[in-house]
Amino acid sequence: MASAKLTPLGLAVLELLHEKPMHPYEMASLMRERYVSTRVNVKAGSLYHTVERLQRSGFIEVVDTQRDGRRPERTVYGMTQAGLDEFNQRGRELLGDLVEEFPAYLSGLAVIDELGKETSLIELEHRITRLRAAVAADQAVLERLAEDHTPPIYWLDWKYKCDQRKFELEWTERLHEDLESGRIPFQDCEQPKLTLITQEDDDERKTS
């Protein structure tokens, strides 16, 4: 039952507390620096809510309070043994288990024939443009991580996301070419017309 309480953001918090105790403001800063937002929806309000929930669940505890000048006092949290156990269990599940996911892009691909050639090609061009920009931005980040000599094991999640986006771009470019050239033809099939079954038809079917 406890594992259901550990959300992706909760897991990210415990991941940071593996390194050392810290306050939520430091957590938020490190999450931005490490691009945690590529895998977790990180917002200030949700982060503080998650920290409170982890504390109520016994996964983290207050270990210190800090005051920097006139700034408000900051509460420093550390991970408990229960939190470590839960973190390890959930981490093993996420790494080893296969989970069925439902990307929105798949639903878009499923309706291409119904949208028609012109509309589909225009929308795919929009997607390709956005993906190219994202891939270029990814590459800049990867180069900076390499220059900073950040150990690769600390950004495997980011590398996976970059490779996934690059694959989607290449796949979508090929799809656009195949649709535009006709290698993948649109069916242009009319929907079958529905006819009413008359009483005579129904009687005939019953006696045949």
Side-chain angles (χ1 to χ4, degrees):
M1 294 299 293
S3 60
K5 300 178 183 178
L6 197 55
T7 63
L9 184 53
L11 189 74
V13 169
L14 295 183
E15 178 188 344
L16 292 177
L17 294 183
H18 254 88
E19 300 176 25
K20 63 174 184 176
M22 60 184 71
H23 50 74
Y25 181 82
E26 185 178 6
M27 295 177 194
S29 298
L30 285 173
M31 286 181 181
R32 286 193 298 271
E33 181 181 327
R34 299 176 184 182
Y35 304 99
V36 173
S37 59
T38 61
R39 56 185 166 91
V40 179
N41 186 13
V42 182
K43 295 181 180 178
S46 58
L47 175 59
Y48 282 92
H49 176 72
T50 296
V51 168
E52 292 174 357
R53 190 153 50 85
L54 289 172
Q55 184 181 15
R56 289 197 304 269
S57 300
F59 296 153
I60 64 175
E61 61 185 359
V62 177
V63 297
D64 194 12
T65 55
Q66 297 176 352
R67 182 181 294 277
D68 185 6
R70 296 182 178 180
R71 294 181 178 178
E73 191 175 72
R74 289 174 175 170
T75 304
V76 179
Y77 296 90
M79 183 163 46
T80 64
Q81 183 60 49
L84 178 60
D85 293 341
E86 181 63 20
F87 175 88
N88 289 333
Q89 176 62 29
R90 185 60 181 145
R92 290 168 59 185
E93 294 171 355
L94 290 170
L95 191 61
D97 292 353
L98 289 178
V99 179
E100 190 71 26
E101 298 176 331
F102 304 94
Y105 190 27
L106 297 185
S107 295
L109 293 173
V111 299
I112 278 183
D113 195 45
E114 287 75 14
L115 291 176
K117 184 172 184 177
E118 182 178 358
T119 299
S120 295
L121 290 177
I122 289 174
E123 294 306 322
L124 286 173
E125 287 167 6
H126 291 166
R127 190 180 194 92
I128 289 170
T129 298
R130 297 183 180 109
L131 283 170
R132 285 174 178 167
V135 168
D138 290 345
Q139 185 59 37
V141 172
L142 290 173
E143 290 174 0
R144 193 180 78 181
L145 288 169
E147 291 171 359
D148 291 344
H149 303 291
T150 304
I153 199 166
Y154 290 145
W155 42 281
L156 291 174
D157 53 336
W158 175 253
K159 182 69 165 59
Y160 176 85
K161 184 68 175 181
C162 294
D163 288 345
Q164 186 182 51
R165 192 143 42 205
K166 186 177 180 181
F167 167 80
E168 182 181 329
L169 170 60
E170 295 170 350
W171 193 91
T172 303
E173 287 175 334
R174 289 196 302 270
L175 173 63
H176 185 278
E177 293 174 0
D178 288 342
L179 292 172
E180 188 175 41
S181 67
R183 285 191 295 270
I184 297 181
F186 285 79
Q187 296 303 294
D188 295 324
C189 294
E190 294 184 1
Q191 293 295 326
K193 295 181 179 179
L194 300 178
T195 57
L196 294 176
I197 298 178
T198 64
Q199 183 65 43
E200 292 78 4
D201 293 332
D202 191 43
D203 292 340
E204 181 179 349
R205 186 171 57 186
K206 290 179 180 179
T207 57
S208 60

